[in-house]
Amino acid sequence: VLIGPHIENLRAVAERVIDLNAGLVIHNADELTNSIALILKDDELRMKMGRNGRLVTQEQQRAMENTVDCVFERIRNEHRTQ
């Protein structure tokens, strides 16, 4: 995962990506180019980032499922009271 410097809306996810070494923060075009080259050259790094990125994705999927369940429950409750 390559993350740009402006992560205000997804700070918790971006921090988790960084904490798990699932991605790199990119600040400019040169860093983007260098990071892509590094990931393409380093098989071990690429595999590690891929595995860890899947962990973050799975965590976020569960969080999204919980959020959707809460929203649907709220909609059902609102519908019942009308």
Side-chain angles (χ1 to χ4, degrees), residues 38-56:
L38 173 65
I39 293 167
L40 290 174
K41 281 193 277 185
D42 190 331
D43 293 340
E44 185 177 332
L45 175 65
R46 186 172 58 254
M47 297 301 288
K48 178 181 173 183
M49 289 176 70
R51 281 191 305 273
N52 294 344
R54 277 189 287 285
L55 290 174
V56 174

Side-chain angles (χ1 to χ4, degrees), residues 22-33:
L24 302 169
V25 178
I26 306 302
H27 296 95
N28 57 51
D30 288 336
E31 285 185 10
L32 177 61
T33 301

Side-chain angles (χ1 to χ4, degrees), residues 4-71:
H6 304 289
I7 57 169
E8 293 79 19
N9 292 336
L10 298 169
R11 184 168 302 282
V13 175
E15 289 173 354
R16 188 70 176 143
V17 166
I18 301 306
D19 289 346
L20 286 177
N21 296 313
L24 302 169
V25 178
I26 306 302
H27 296 95
N28 57 51
D30 288 336
E31 285 185 10
L32 177 61
T33 301
N34 293 336
S35 295
I36 291 171
L38 173 65
I39 293 167
L40 290 174
K41 281 193 277 185
D42 190 331
D43 293 340
E44 185 177 332
L45 175 65
R46 186 172 58 254
M47 297 301 288
K48 178 181 173 183
M49 289 176 70
R51 281 191 305 273
N52 294 344
R54 277 189 287 285
L55 290 174
V56 174
T57 301
Q58 290 168 348
E59 291 173 0
Q60 292 307 306
Q61 182 177 354
R62 284 191 296 274
M64 179 57 73
E65 289 169 354
N66 291 338
T67 300
V68 169
D69 289 344
C70 288
V71 169

